[in-house]
């Protein structure tokens, strides 16, 4: 195989969304697998819709995912001279021609075709052919340039995802490659870029399948090698409909804001339409080692938020504890929460990670330990039953000199319960509510150990003071 060169070619008209990120990931992984190059190309020729903010959002999203291009970013707007040069060459070679059909003529043509129930298409009136006399060139119509698409036969390719795809050339009319003001059009820029950049494999969304036959024909006319194409099926939302803004977090950076780890998102995206046996959890390096185009499914992939959450929690738990604490600490700091005076963050995150599938959820769960928690009085009244009060008071007294670690605290709880003839929840529930404000919390002994002796005695005594 000649050297593998792939590209990701987003149009900067919005943020980097999940579908685009998957396309980028597959292109990246394929290049990595073959020791090739992954190129980033910003397709910004649609000046009305492209924005510098969107360019930045794409670059940020790719950087967050760790999808570093080997070459680029290249910007199409900076390559206009090159496109114009190729257009001139094609005009000279006769593979493209000027077309002077006016807007009014095109509209009339369209109306006639529609009246005959035909598909509206350019009729080739300015297309030069042997023995054909072209109309006189009008003085006041600046021409567009059209590609001289083959009239007969088919254009076909073996799509690496969808199998063989064929289009009849008769279905393709002569595409405008330069507008009347000389600016090149979208499909043409893609072709010149794929050619100049030596792209060997075009991996992109299947919304581009209809562009491919035109692009192949132009590449052929240029004498360029035809890349291998792989068109990825779309991604459906959790509900089985096409993924869209309605589904919430579709921007990659929104996943960052929502507390997902890039490692988890990469792993998750890799499995959206590609598989390696039954493997669900694998690293970026394993993905690069395993990735191929043979195991991309031609059917649509369905998003599964539960699975992403599960993976994210898996990656959070796999982080070195200090790293997890640092990431959660950064989130709390960004909220203006000072963590220096509260429980040790490494212990706190380790204790809560089992119940929090995202960094955000973990920060939410821990925030109160640093900003102060006041349990709702109704909740306290509900769980702090009269028979539990003496036991709780007894327990607090014992806390003053128990060894401050979970097993010793657990032993003290047990002994207190036995002395008062109570069952675990009578002590555990009020403690959870006093200390965390909620009924759901990790095991009390571990919770107390994490919070620290002083804080626990202070809070429980205060609650007892109100209720005794
Ligand atoms: N710029 C196109 C898009 O964002 C992709 C073009 C291509 O991959 O050929 O959909």
């Amino acid at each position: 195989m000649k050297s593998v060169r792939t590209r990701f070619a987003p149009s900067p008209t919005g943020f980097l969304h999940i579908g685009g990120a998957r396309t980028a990931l597959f292109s990246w992984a394929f290049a990595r697998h073959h020791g090739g190059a992954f190129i980033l190309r910003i397709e910004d020729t649609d000046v009305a819709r492209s924005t510098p903010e969107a360019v930045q959002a794409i670059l940020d999203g790719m950087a967050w995912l760790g999808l570093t291009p080997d070459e680029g970013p290249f910007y199409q707007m900076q390559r206009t001279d090159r496109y114009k040069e190729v257009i001139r060459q094609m005009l000279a070679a006769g593979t493209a021609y000027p077309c002077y059909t006016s807007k009014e003529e095109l509209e009339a043509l369209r109306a006639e075709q529609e009246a005959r129930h035909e598909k509206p298409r350019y009729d080739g009136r300015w297309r030069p052919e042997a023995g054909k006399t072209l109309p006189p060139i009008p003085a006041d119509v600046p021409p567009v340039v059209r590609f001289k698409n083959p009239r007969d036969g088919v254009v076909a390719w073996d799509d690496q995802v969808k199998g063989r795809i064929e289009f009849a050339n008769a279905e393709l009319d002569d595409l405008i490659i330069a507008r009347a003001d000389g600016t090149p059009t979208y499909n043409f820029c893609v072709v010149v870029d794929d050619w100049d950049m030596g792209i060997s494999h075009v991996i992109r969304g299947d919304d581009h399948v209809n562009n491919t036959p035109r692009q192949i024909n132009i590449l052929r006319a240029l004498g360029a090698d035809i890349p291998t194409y792989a068109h990825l099926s779309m991604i459906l939302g959790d509900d089985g409909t096409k993924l869209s803004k309605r589904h919430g977090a579709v921007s990659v950076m929104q996943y960052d804001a929502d507390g997902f780890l890039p490692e988890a998102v990469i792993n998750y995206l890799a499995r959206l339409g590609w598989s390696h046996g039954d493997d669900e959890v694998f690293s970026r390096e394993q993905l690069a080692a395993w990735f191929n185009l043979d195991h991309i499914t031609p059917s649509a992939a369905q998003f599964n938020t539960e699975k992403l959450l599960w993976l994210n929690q898996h990656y959070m738990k796999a982080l070195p504890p200090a790293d997890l604490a640092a990431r959660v600490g950064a989130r709390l700091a960004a909220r203006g929460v000072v963590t220096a005076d509260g429980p040790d963050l490494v212990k706190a995150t380790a204790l809560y990670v089992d119940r929090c599938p995202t960094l955000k959820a973990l920060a939410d769960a821990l925030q109160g330990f640093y900003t102060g928690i006041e349990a709702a009085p109704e909740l306290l009244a509900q769980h702090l039953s009269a028979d539990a009060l003496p036991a709780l008071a007894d327990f607090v007294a014992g806390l003053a000199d128990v060894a401050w670690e979970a097993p010793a605290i657990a032993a003290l709880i047990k002994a207190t319960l036995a002395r008062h003839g109570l069952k675990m929840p009578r002590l555990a529930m009020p403690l959870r509510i006093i200390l965390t404000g909620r009924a759901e919390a990790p095991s009390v002994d571990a919770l107390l150990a994490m919070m620290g002796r002083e804080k626990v005695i202070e809070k429980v005594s205060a609650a007892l003071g109100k209720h005794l």
Side-chain angles (χ1 to χ4, degrees), residues 173-379:
D173 54 8
D174 288 352
L175 185 75
I176 297 178
I177 58 175
R179 299 182 189 89
D181 65 3
T183 57
T185 58
Y186 168 73
N187 271 298
F188 183 71
C189 299
V190 171
V191 164
V192 176
D193 286 349
D194 284 345
W195 180 33
D196 283 355
M197 295 172 191
I199 301 302
S200 64
H201 292 75
V202 171
I203 300 169
R204 62 184 172 196
D206 67 1
D207 46 332
H208 290 283
V209 164
N210 286 332
N211 290 327
T212 307
R214 300 176 182 287
Q215 295 180 1
I216 291 176
N217 280 339
I218 301 174
L219 284 163
R220 285 211 179 110
L222 291 168
D225 286 341
I226 310 299
T228 300
Y229 291 91
H231 287 95
L232 309 176
S233 298
M234 66 166 113
I235 301 175
L236 305 176
D238 281 286
D239 59 358
T241 66
K242 191 174 186 297
L243 196 65
S244 74
K245 283 190 191 133
R246 277 183 302 109
H247 292 95
V250 287
S251 149
V252 165
M253 294 316 284
Q254 187 61 43
Y255 285 91
D256 179 26
D258 289 349
F260 289 88
L261 304 185
E263 302 83 313
V265 175
I266 287 279
N267 190 157
Y268 181 75
L269 287 178
R271 286 285 292 107
L272 264 185
W274 176 81
S275 59
H276 181 263
D278 293 331
D279 292 309
E280 291 294 353
V281 183
F282 43 83
S283 67
R284 188 188 296 270
E285 291 70 31
Q286 283 170 312
L287 170 63
W290 296 338
F291 191 79
N292 58 26
L293 301 177
D294 306 336
H295 292 92
I296 299 178
T297 143
S299 52
Q302 185 156 351
F303 205 86
N304 181 338
T305 303
E306 281 305 313
K307 188 172 155 189
L308 173 59
L309 285 166
W310 175 82
L311 263 178
N312 197 58
Q313 192 164 29
H314 170 88
Y315 279 94
M316 281 165 61
K317 287 160 87 169
L319 286 177
D323 188 353
L324 178 64
R327 297 197 200 201
V328 174
R331 272 174 194 263
L332 289 171
R335 298 176 186 182
V337 176
V338 179
T339 51
D341 307 329
D344 176 47
L345 252 184
V346 176
K347 284 190 189 146
T349 48
L351 185 59
Y352 268 79
V353 70
D354 275 326
R355 21 188 81 237
C356 301
T358 64
L359 294 174
K360 180 170 182 290
L362 198 43
D364 290 345
L366 297 182
Q367 180 160 336
F369 292 119
Y370 303 96
T371 55
I373 294 163
E374 280 312 320
E378 318 79 68
L379 204 57

